[in-house]
C-alpha cells in the first residue's frame, strides 16, 4: 500500500480502583464511583495502538490513535490519561440516559461512536474491564459493527505491505495456541501478555494539555436514549449481597513440624 | 417446558486419558439446563453414538450437530452463529454455555444475534414461574448478585464447578439432527492460520480440578516441591502472574484476574503474597491453605490454615508425610 498509516480507536474505561473496597449501591445495584482510574487492562490496548502507530512513523506519517470512553463527566479522566500516555486525541461520550448500561447497551453506544468517527481501521480494547469483568463488550462490538473479531490477543502485528492492512495475532487457549489473521478493519482485544505498557512522562503530560477531547452526546451520534441505559439494557441486577468475609483461620509458625501439621489439617478436613 | 439450548464443543476434545466423552463442565451445564427447562444440545463437531448415549443419560432428546469446517477454521463467530441459529430452530427460552474465554464470547454474540440479555460468570440459577434468575459473583468475588435477562431469551455463561453434575432422573433417547448453519461474511473474517497443540501435562485440568497447588515468586524458579505435593494429592498446578511472567511455568497455569478463576475444594497457595488480582481467581475456593514466610502477607487474611514458614521445608515434609501415611 502507498499509505500505510493507521486510524486506530482505543476504547478505555474509567473504573473504581480495585485497590480500595468497592461497593454496589442504589436501586439498580450500580457501582459507586469513588477513587476511579483508567482500567489497568486498557493500558495494554493503548500500548498496542501506540506501538503500531510508531512502527509506521507515528503522527507525522498520518497515524492517529483516538482514545474513546463512555461514562459520566468524571470519566474524561480516563481519556486524559490516555492522551498523556500518547494517544493523539480523545472522545468522551456522556449522556444521562447512559446510566446503568449493560454490555448490550454499552456495545450499542460504543459501536455508534466508532461509526460516527468513520474511517477507523482498527478498534482496540482491553481483555476485560476491571469492574464489570465480563469481556462481553469487544465481541458484541465486533458483532454490531459487522467486523472481524480477534479477541484475547497475546501478540498483535499489522502488515501493510499488500493491498490491505492485515492483522496477525496469537491467542493462547488451554489446548491450542492459535495464530489468527484478519484484514482490517477489525476489532481486537489484547491481554496483559501482549506488551508492557509505558507510563506517561513529563513531556507526555505537557503535550496532552494541547490535545483535544471531543465531547459527544447520544443525539450527536444518533442513538435513541431508550436503547441504552437502564431502559435499553437487556439484563437487570435484582439483588446484591456483600460476600461474607471468610472466618479467620488458624495461622501457625513453622517450628520444624509444620508440614506434618498441614497433613493433620488436611486429614481432619477429609481432603486426603 | 421450554427448550434450553446447551452448547457442547466437541471440536476441542481434550486428549488426556480417562477424559469422558461429555466433559465435566458440559455435564454441569446439562444439569442446570434440566432445572430451567428441556435440555437441547447444540454440538459443534461430531456427535458420535457414544456422545449421543451420554447426552441421553443427561436427559437430552434433541441434538443439533454440525461439523462444518467454518466452525474450526475461524475464531468464535461461526460457533456463535451456529448456536444462535439452533436456539431459534429449537424455540429456546435460554442458552447455556461454558464460561471460558470462548464461551463468554459465544454468549456475547448470541446475545446480539437474538437481541437477548447476556449474563456471564454465573454460579447458579433458579427458576420461578418460568423466569430464570442467575446468581453470579462480581467485583473479584466480593459481592454475590442475582440478575435476570429482560428479553425473551436468556443467554448465560456458567462457571465450571458451580454445580454437581448429575445424570437425569429419567434418561432420554437422543435423536441427532444434522444442522447446517449459515455464516455471515463478517463471521468468516478472523481466520485461524495455525494451531499448535499444547503438551498435555497428565495432571487434572486446572479449571475443574478438586485440588490446586499454586506457586508464586517464592518458589524462585523451582516448581519441584509444588509439583511433588500436587502429584501426591492428585492436584492441578496453578501459579501467580509473577511466576508465569518469569517463565517458570506456562501462562495457562495462571490463576487470577487475567488468568483462570478456580473454586476447588482445596487451594494450597505457596510463596504467593495474595495480591487482589490473585485473590480474584481463587478466593471462592472451599478450603484455602497458605504457605508463606512473611507473616504480613495478605494471603493469610483469607487462609483457613496458614503456615508462616519456608516452602522448601514445609512442602517436602508434607509430601513425605502423606506418602508415609499411605504406606
Ligand atoms: C492488570 C493486572 C492483572 C493482574 N493479573 C494477575 C493474575 O491474574 N494473577 C496473579 O497472580 N497476579 C496478577 N497480577 C499481579 C499481582 O498484582 C501481583 O503482582 C502478583 O500476584 C504477585 O505474585 P506473587 O505473589 O507470586 O509475588 P510476590 O508478591 O513477590 O510474593 C511472593 C511471596 O513469596 C513469599 N516467599 C518468598 N520466598 C518464600 C519461601 N522460600 N517460602 C515461602 N514463601 C516465600 C514472599 O513472602 C511473598 O509473599 C496482575 C496485576 C495487574 C496490574
Ligand atoms: N464504558 C466504556 N467505555 C469505553 N470502553 C469500554 C467501556 N466498557 C467496556 N469498554 C471496553 O471493552 C473492554 C472489555 O470490557 P468488558 O466487556 O466490560 O469486560 C474494556 O477493556 C474496554 O476496552
Amino acid at each position: 500500500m502507498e499509505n500505510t498509516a493507521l486510524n486506530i480507536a482505543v476504547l478505555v474505561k474509567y473504573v473504581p480502583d480495585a485497590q480500595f473496597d468497592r461497593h454496589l449501591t442504589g436501586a439498580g445495584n450500580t457501582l459507586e464511583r469513588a477513587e476511579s482510574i483508567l482500567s489497568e487492562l486498557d493500558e495494554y490496548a493503548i500500548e498496542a495502538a501506540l506501538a503500531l502507530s510508531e512502527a509506521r512513523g507515528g503522527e507525522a506519517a498520518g497515524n492517529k490513535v483516538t482514545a474513546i470512553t463512555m461514562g459520566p463527566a468524571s470519566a474524561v479522566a480516563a481519556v486524559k490519561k490516555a492522551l498523556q500516555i500518547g494517544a493523539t486525541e480523545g472522545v468522551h461520550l456522556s449522556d444521562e440516559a447512559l446510566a446503568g448500561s449493560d454490555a448490550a447497551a454499552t456495545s450499542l453506544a460504543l459501536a455508534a461512536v466508532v461509526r460516527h468517527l468513520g474511517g477507523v481501521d482498527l478498534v482496540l480494547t482491553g481483555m476485560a474491564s476491571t469492574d464489570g469483568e465480563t469481556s462481553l463488550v469487544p465481541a458484541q462490538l465486533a458483532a454490531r459493527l459487522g467486523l472481524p473479531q480477534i479477541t484475547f490477543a497475546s501478540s498483535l502485528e499489522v502488515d501493510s505491505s499488500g493491498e490491505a492492512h492485515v492483522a496477525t495475532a496469537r491467542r493462547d487457549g488451554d489446548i491450542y495456541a492459535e495464530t489468527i489473521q484478519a484484514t482490517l478493519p477489525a476489532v481486537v482485544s489484547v491481554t496483559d501478555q501482549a506488551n508492557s505498557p509505558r507510563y506517561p512522562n513529563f513531556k507526555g503530560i505537557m503535550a496532552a494539555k494541547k490535545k483535544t477531547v471531543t465531547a459527544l452526546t447520544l443525539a450527536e451520534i444518533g442513538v435513541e436514549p431508550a436503547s441504552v441505559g437502564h431502559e435499553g439494557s437487556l439484563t437487570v441486577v435484582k439483588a446484591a449481597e456483600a460476600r461474607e468475609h471468610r472466618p479467620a483461620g488458624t495461622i501457625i509458625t513453622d517450628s520444624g513440624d509444620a508440614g506434618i501439621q498441614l497433613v493433620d489439617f488436611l486429614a481432619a478436613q477429609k481432603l486426603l | 417446558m421450554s427448550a434450553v439450548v446447551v452448547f457442547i464443543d466437541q471440536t476441542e476434545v481434550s486428549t488426556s486419558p480417562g477424559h469422558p466423552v461429555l466433559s465435566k463442565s458440559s455435564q454441569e451445564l446439562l444439569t442446570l439446563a434440566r432445572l430451567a427447562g428441556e435440555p437441547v444440545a447444540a454440538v459443534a463437531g461430531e456427535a458420535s453414538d457414544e456422545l449421543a448415549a451420554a447426552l441421553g443419560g443427561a436427559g437430552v432428546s434433541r441434538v443439533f450437530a454440525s461439523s462444518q469446517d467454518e466452525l474450526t477454521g475461524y475464531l468464535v463467530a461461526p460457533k456463535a452463529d451456529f448456536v444462535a441459529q439452533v436456539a431459534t430452530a429449537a424455540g429456546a427460552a435460554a442458552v447455556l454455555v461454558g464460561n471460558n474465554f470462548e464461551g463468554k464470547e459465544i454468549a456475547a454474540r448470541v446475545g446480539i444475534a437474538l437481541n437477548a440479555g447476556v449474563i456471564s460468570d454465573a454460579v447458579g440459577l433458579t427458576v420461578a414461574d418460568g423466569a430464570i434468575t442467575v446468581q453470579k459473583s462480581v467485583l473479584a468475588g466480593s459481592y454475590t448478585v442475582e440478575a435476570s435477562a429482560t428479553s425473551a431469551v436468556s443467554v448465560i455463561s456458567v462457571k465450571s464447578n458451580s454445580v454437581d453434575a448429575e445424570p437425569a432422573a429419567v434418561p432420554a433417547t437422543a435423536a441427532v439432527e444434522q444442522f447446517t448453519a449459515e455464516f455471515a461474511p463478517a463471521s468468516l473474517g478472523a481466520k485461524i492460520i495455525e494451531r499448535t497443540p499444547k503438551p498435555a501435562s497428565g495432571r487434572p485440568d486446572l479449571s475443574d480440578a478438586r485440588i490446586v497447588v499454586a506457586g508464586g515468586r517464592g518458589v524462585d524458579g523451582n516448581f519441584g516441591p509444588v509439583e511433588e505435593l500436587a502429584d501426591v494429592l492428585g492436584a492441578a498446578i496453578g501459579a501467580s502472574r509473577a511466576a508465569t511472567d518469569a517463565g517458570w511455568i506456562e501462562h495457562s497455569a495462571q490463576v487470577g484476574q487475567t488468568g483462570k478463576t478456580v473454586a476447588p475444594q482445596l487451594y494450597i497457595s505457596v510463596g504467593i503474597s495474595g495480591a487482589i488480582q490473585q485473590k480474584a481467581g481463587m478466593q471462592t475456593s472451599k478450603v484455602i491453605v497458605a504457605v508463606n514466610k512473611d507473616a504480613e502477607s495478605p494471603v493469610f487474611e483469607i487462609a483457613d490454615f496458614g503456615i508462616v514458614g519456608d516452602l522448601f521445608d514445609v512442602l517436602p515434609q508434607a509430601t513425605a508425610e502423606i506418602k508415609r501415611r499411605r504406606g
Side-chain angles (χ1 to χ4, degrees), chain A residues 52-125:
Chain A
L52 286 173
S53 162
E54 285 163 4
R56 52 199 72 229
E59 263 173 69
N63 294 282
K64 195 157 113 182
V65 175
T66 307
I68 301 172
T69 199
M70 160 187 147
S74 55
V76 75
V79 167
K80 288 195 171 150
K81 173 100 184 270
L83 296 179
Q84 292 177 348
I85 296 172
T88 329
E89 57 181 71
V91 170
H92 178 202
L93 173 67
S94 194
D95 201 302
E96 274 177 19
L98 286 165
S101 292
D102 68 355
T106 301
S107 62
L108 186 140
L110 289 171
V113 173
V114 172
R115 278 198 207 97
H116 175 82
L117 293 179
V120 173
D121 297 305
L122 177 61
V123 181
L124 273 166
T125 78

Side-chain angles (χ1 to χ4, degrees), chain A residues 11-13 42 68 70 106 110 125-126 128-129 134-138:
Chain A
L11 302 187
V12 296
K13 192 173 179 190
D42 295 345
I68 301 172
M70 160 187 147
T106 301
L110 289 171
T125 78
S129 54
T134 68
S135 301
L136 297 176
V137 169

Side-chain angles (χ1 to χ4, degrees), chain B residues 41 47 51 60 64 67 76 113 125 134 152 180 195 201 207 214 230 309:
Chain B
L51 179 71
V60 176
F64 294 90
S67 303
V76 179
L125 54 84
V134 177
T180 307
R195 182 173 269 162
S201 70
S207 308

Side-chain angles (χ1 to χ4, degrees), chain B residues 18-195:
Chain B
H19 202 273
V21 58
L22 194 55
S23 73
K24 183 162 160 274
S25 54
S26 293
Q27 293 177 40
E28 292 167 3
L29 291 178
L30 290 163
T31 304
L32 283 174
R34 291 197 305 269
L35 264 179
E38 184 169 335
V40 173
V43 176
E46 203 206 318
S48 61
D49 292 348
E50 206 188 348
L51 179 71
L55 288 170
V60 176
S61 50
R62 282 186 92 183
V63 178
F64 294 90
S66 169
S67 303
Q68 288 167 278
D69 290 341
E70 289 88 342
L71 296 175
T72 47
Y74 301 87
L75 196 65
V76 179
K79 286 182 184 168
D81 289 345
F82 166 64
V83 177
Q85 289 163 32
V86 168
T88 303
V95 175
L96 302 186
V97 295
N99 198 60
N100 52 3
F101 284 170
E102 196 174 64
K104 283 198 202 192
E105 298 186 306
I106 290 170
R109 296 186 70 106
V110 169
I112 298 297
L114 303 179
N115 194 27
V118 182
I119 300 171
S120 62
D121 306 293
V123 294
L125 54 84
T126 46
V127 183
D129 301 327
I132 300 176
T133 299
V134 177
Q135 287 85 43
K136 64 178 279 189
S137 73
V138 298
L139 298 179
S142 54
Y143 275 82
T144 308
V145 304
E146 303 229 307
S148 295
T150 53
S151 45
V153 183
S154 306
V155 182
I156 304 163
S157 65
V158 185
K159 283 190 179 181
S160 51
N161 280 323
S162 301
V163 288
D164 291 324
E166 293 190 19
V170 186
T173 307
V176 178
E177 296 168 44
Q178 289 304 321
F179 189 89
T180 307
E182 298 202 358
F183 305 111
S187 298
L188 308 180
K191 193 171 172 41
I192 298 169
I193 57 165
E194 196 184 302
R195 182 173 269 162

Side-chain angles (χ1 to χ4, degrees), chain A residues 40-41 44 192, chain B residues 216-218 239-243 254-259 271-275 277-278 291-294 297 309-312:
Chain A
E40 280 173 315
L41 293 173
Y44 300 87
D192 63 340
Chain B
R217 201 192 306 273
S240 72
R241 194 174 84 169
Q254 184 183 314
V255 172
Q257 183 188 56
T258 54
I272 296 178
S273 58
Q277 294 91 352
Q278 155 73 203
V291 181
N292 192 305
K293 66 181 181 190
D294 175 7
S297 292
D310 192 319
L311 72 95
F312 292 102

Side-chain angles (χ1 to χ4, degrees), chain A residues 26-27 40-41 49-50 57 63 73 84 98 102 117 128 132 138 144 152 167 176 179 190 204-205 213 244 252 264 270:
Chain A
E40 280 173 315
L41 293 173
L50 296 177
N63 294 282
Q84 292 177 348
L98 286 165
D102 68 355
L117 293 179
R144 290 196 188 277
F152 296 104
Y176 300 110
T179 306
V190 294
I205 293 170
V213 178
E244 281 181 32
I252 62 164
D264 288 339
K270 301 202 168 26

